Amino acid sequence: MSRRVWATVDLSALRENIGVAREAAPRSRVMAVVKSDAYGHGLVPAASELATGTDAFAVTSIEEAAVLRDAGFRQRIVLLQGPFVTGDLETAAVLRLEPVLHTEWQVEALSRAELSVPVTAWIKVDTGMHRLGFHPGAVPEVWRRLSGAPSVEAEIGFMTHLACADDRGDETTRRQLDLFDQACAGLPGPRSAANSAGVLGWPASHLDWVRPGIMLYGASPFVDGGGGHAPLSPAMTLEGRLIAINRYDAGDPVGYGASWRCPEPMPVGVVSVGYGDGYPRHAPSGTPVLVGGQRTGLVGRVSMDMVCVDCRGLDGVVVGAPATLWGAGLPAEEVAGAAGTISYELFCRTTPRARRRYVGAAQPEVT
Ligand SMILES: *Cc1c(COP(=O)(O)O)cnc(C)c1O
């Protein structure tokens, strides 16, 4: 069947990018973050490629973790938001998942629980992100309540999340790391603070475990779009095809709301991808697109199944030509920047309609 839209995922890029993370933080263990369907890349295929380079996976929910266990993955799996209800603790124990505890009821429930197998727990410390976690001053008490509880493994980890590490000039990161250090001072157990930006930009954040996410998928975590010293390989390429080329006169409007008009007589192309596939509806005219490998820009509003593109000056481009919305040859960061969002959102919002096509697998089968 002919396809109007593809999201091609180059799995070899995932292997390269986790290698970049390991090289950047050589003394740390790596927890590969594969939440939200591996940032839209497909949980099981992505995890299969990352498995040999990773010491643990991190996910948000038991549902995501169960998919990994069902697929046969035996790595450690960390539940970044811990249990949502008390009953999740027994499920976590049976599946050998490691909950991150960020709030009082979770600590109370786990310290009293009688689980069939003890679980490894992590304590989330709020060092300034002010989203999840315990006040730094409360950490020794939380640790005391958990350590020695019958259903908690002896080694308890500590985790914090960096709010501003994507800006290499922001002093917040240094303050957060100092607070984290003080909060866990004297307590045994592994420490983890670094997201991708920490891995690539803040060596002091590496500690015992790093938690790379976006960099594994080949996009820069930094606000300025640079990958630091590390060249990352983009994994996902969103592609459609040119389904029409029409010529219009100067002043002719293009698309819904007639929001854009041709400045001169010109060819306008129609590409078979729209917001129904996850392309951002708010991408303005001028957002870069590759048509037949040549760079041009959107014109007019994004439709559900289509976008219009400026075909002036494109060489030898005919109906049927491939169009790249982001990925190989066109960094997702750049498209995201033009559309007022971040690459994370582009990847996660790519809908199942943009069928994932996998290339570059090391193993043909998921183990
Ligand atoms: C999503 C997430 C990460 C990964 O962040 P990136 O910016 O994608 O590297 C790390 N830690 C926690 C707690 C997260 O929720």
Side-chain angles (χ1 to χ4, degrees), residues 32-191:
V33 181
V34 291
K35 64 193 180 196
S36 195
D37 202 28
Y39 292 46
H41 291 67
L43 177 55
V44 169
S48 302
E49 296 307 313
L50 296 169
T52 54
T54 195
D55 304 291
F57 290 114
V59 296
T60 303
S61 65
I62 287 185
E63 286 86 341
E64 293 171 331
V67 169
L68 290 175
R69 287 287 181 248
D70 284 348
F73 291 100
R74 307 191 53 78
Q75 277 85 358
R76 296 174 65 171
I77 300 180
V78 174
L79 284 177
L80 292 171
Q81 296 178 9
F84 291 87
V85 294
T86 304
D88 286 349
L89 290 170
E90 178 60 22
T91 315
V94 170
L95 293 176
R96 289 187 310 103
L97 313 179
E98 306 183 10
V100 177
L101 309 175
H102 61 81
T103 194
E104 171 54 30
W105 79 261
Q106 294 176 324
V107 172
E108 186 62 18
L110 181 57
S111 60
R112 289 167 180 274
E114 291 175 19
L115 305 176
S116 52
V117 207
V119 297
T120 296
W122 295 75
I123 299 171
K124 182 74 171 266
V125 187
D126 178 10
T127 56
M129 173 86 173
H130 294 159
R131 189 177 60 180
L132 291 183
F134 292 96
H135 188 277
V139 170
E141 174 65 9
V142 169
W143 181 84
R144 198 190 51 72
R145 287 164 64 199
L146 290 170
S147 68
S151 289
V152 181
E153 286 280 6
E155 188 181 84
I156 297 170
F158 300 90
M159 188 179 285
T160 195
H161 198 47
L162 302 174
C164 304
D166 59 338
D167 179 349
R168 279 172 278 207
D170 194 315
E171 279 305 308
T172 308
T173 301
R174 200 130 352 249
R175 279 202 301 280
Q176 284 196 265
L177 293 172
D178 285 347
L179 253 183
F180 189 43
D181 191 49
Q182 290 162 26
C184 333
L187 300 174
R191 271 85 162 141

